Amino acid sequence: MIEKPISRRYLTQDDRIEIADGLARNEPVTAIAARIGKSVQTVYREMARNRKPDGRYQP
């Protein structure tokens, strides 16, 4: 069976790790979004969906 590649519209695990690393370095979300080639809104939605109860982002 041939698997279809994941669409570029979805974040990869590497994108999620880059978001976490950028947040740990206190980088602006705009800089993180530009680096991974996604919109700022996409990064904010990802952060909102994957926050721990203490507020930290969990990739």
Side-chain angles (χ1 to χ4, degrees):
M1 180 169 104
I2 298 174
E3 292 186 30
K4 291 176 21 179
I6 296 173
S7 170
R8 288 190 38 85
R9 72 179 253 220
Y10 297 107
L11 291 171
T12 64
Q13 187 63 28
D14 288 341
D15 292 337
R16 290 180 172 96
I17 291 169
E18 190 62 39
I19 291 168
D21 289 347
L23 292 172
R25 292 188 296 265
N26 292 318
E27 293 180 10
V29 173
T30 53
I32 297 167
R35 189 169 49 252
I36 64 173
K38 303 293 182 188
S39 74
V40 173
Q41 292 84 0
T42 298
V43 176
Y44 274 121
R45 279 193 303 272
E46 170 66 17
M47 290 165 50
R49 270 193 291 258
N50 294 298
R51 284 208 186 273
K52 290 182 171 183
D54 67 3
R56 290 182 299 142
Y57 173 69
Q58 176 65 46

